[in-house]
Structures are given as C-alpha cells and as structure tokens.
Amino acid sequence: MNYSFDFASVFRNLGPLWDGLLVTIQLTIAANAIGLTLGFALALLVMSRWSVVRLPVMLFVEFFRCTPAIIQIVWFFYCVPMLFNVFLGSVTMGILALGLNLAAFNAEAYRASIQAVPREQLDAGVALGLTPLQRILYIVLPAAVRNSIPVLLTNGIGTFQQSALVAIVAVQDLMYQGKTLATQTYRPIETFTIVALVYFAVSFPVSQIVGYLERRREALAS
C-alpha cells in the first residue's frame, strides 16, 4: 500500500472534534436521564394487571427494542414535524430519539430487577402501612436500581456509541465533525482512527466499572 500517514494534519485541527465530543456527551447524558426515569415507569406499566395499560406499553417497548436505532432517529427527524407539526432543534430531537430507545431497553432491565425483589419485603411494607406509591419509592425503586446497575451502565455505554448515528441527520456530534474533518483534510484513515480512539477512551473505563460492579455483586451474593 503506497499511503503516507499524516496524523499531524488532524492534530492541528482537533478543535471541531472536541466540540463534537461535547455534543455527544450532551446527547448521552440527556438520553440517559430520560432512559433511567422513563424506563422505570415503563417497567411498572408493563407489569400492570390491567391489559388496557400493559399492552400499549409492551408494544411501545418492543417497537423500540426490535427496530434499528437509525430508523428511529430518521423517523423522529423527518416524520414527527410532518405528522404532528412539532419542530424542535436537531440536538433535542436526537436526545428524544436516543432517550426513548434507551428507555425501552432499561424497562426490561428494571422489570427483571423488580421481579427479583423478595415478596417478603413487599409484605413488610404492607404491614408497616405504606401506601402503594411509598412501597414503590422506598422498597421497589432502590432494589430495582441496585440490582440493575450493571445493565443500566452497559445500556448507557451503548447509547454513547449509538449517538454517532445522529450524524446522519446533521447533528454536529463527534462523528459528524469527524466526517467533516476527514473531507477537509483528505485524511479519512487518520481522522476516523482518532475518532474511534476517542469513543474507546470514554467507553472503556465505564466498561471496566461495569465489570467491577458485576464481580462485586456476585461476590456479595455468594
């Protein structure tokens, strides 16, 4: 291969990549905020005894879990304004699309954790005179979050990585800035190598934390 690598030309233009990384982090944090809160609410609704509540929520969850994230992002950007006459900023639309996708996956993690809560704890809450809402807040929620932390963190990493898909609709995230810089410098190999390393540098430490938490939980369980 007769190719001369030149990373210096990319390092001289790192400013846009850092700007894009800030947008990516903004997308990830906001989407995780939606996914963590809405996911728990969806998990409770999926477990409802009333089918009129349970079935539509199950359909919502399965739709987002069983369709490609890129299709969901494109649908939000192009179909929501046309169908509902709602016009939001591109970053906001990206946050909503990623957040709803994450909420669907987190709902399953929460549901499994809620079902693992010992029945004795719920009975104790009833004996103490706690209302259903208080039992959810003081018994179910802490146990569900504690048991599902590794999965929630893993899903959060996935959202950080999937946020690169919003570049297709011109959100100026890290991937979008990388594509622009590669075009301007004519150095796609060097540019996308650096972009990949940035994604790795953020994701790898979190993945190690997830592994540590899983090992700690297994040790405590044994």
Side-chain angles (χ1 to χ4, degrees):
M1 181 180 66
N2 189 20
Y3 184 84
S4 178
F5 289 92
D6 181 18
F7 283 91
S9 61
V10 180
F11 286 126
R12 287 193 297 267
N13 298 278
L14 287 179
L17 293 184
W18 295 126
D19 293 339
L21 178 60
L22 291 177
V23 174
T24 294
I25 292 174
Q26 178 185 355
L27 289 168
T28 303
I29 292 175
N32 271 274
I34 295 174
L36 290 172
T37 54
L38 180 60
F40 183 73
L42 293 175
L44 294 177
L45 295 175
V46 165
M47 299 175 65
S48 172
R49 71 183 71 178
W50 296 293
S51 58
V52 68
V53 174
R54 184 178 65 254
L55 294 180
V57 177
M58 288 178 60
L59 180 61
F60 173 90
V61 170
E62 293 305 321
F63 173 81
F64 277 94
R65 292 180 69 238
C66 299
T67 55
I70 191 170
I71 297 298
Q72 299 165 17
I73 291 170
V74 172
W75 193 92
F76 262 85
F77 272 82
Y78 294 108
C79 298
V80 168
M82 296 174 62
L83 294 175
F84 304 104
N85 198 32
V86 174
F87 299 91
L88 301 173
S90 58
V91 174
T92 302
M93 295 291 280
I95 289 172
L96 289 175
L98 293 171
L100 292 177
N101 177 275
L102 180 59
F105 285 90
N106 283 350
E108 287 299 294
Y110 280 127
R111 182 182 60 80
S113 297
I114 291 171
Q115 291 176 336
V117 175
R119 182 68 191 180
E120 293 79 7
Q121 294 184 11
L122 298 176
D123 293 338
V126 174
L128 290 172
L130 299 180
T131 65
L133 179 59
Q134 289 175 325
R135 292 199 297 272
I136 291 173
L137 292 178
Y138 302 134
I139 299 176
V140 176
L141 178 59
V145 172
R146 183 173 59 252
N147 294 334
S148 58
I149 281 178
V151 179
L152 297 177
L153 287 176
T154 300
N155 290 346
I157 296 173
T159 298
F160 172 72
Q161 296 166 350
Q162 281 192 337
S163 67
L165 297 174
V166 300
I168 196 173
V169 287
V171 175
Q172 298 183 5
D173 69 327
L174 177 59
M175 185 62 185
Y176 180 90
Q177 297 289 7
K179 289 169 57 181
T180 302
L181 184 57
T183 302
Q184 292 174 348
T185 61
Y186 299 99
R187 291 290 172 179
I189 296 178
E190 295 89 335
T191 301
F192 289 119
T193 298
I194 292 174
V195 169
L197 290 174
V198 172
Y199 278 107
F200 175 80
V202 176
S203 300
F204 181 72
V206 181
S207 68
Q208 295 304 298
I209 294 174
V210 172
Y212 168 77
L213 292 175
E214 289 180 340
R215 291 191 298 271
R216 182 175 177 80
R217 187 177 64 171
E218 291 173 358
L220 292 175
S222 61

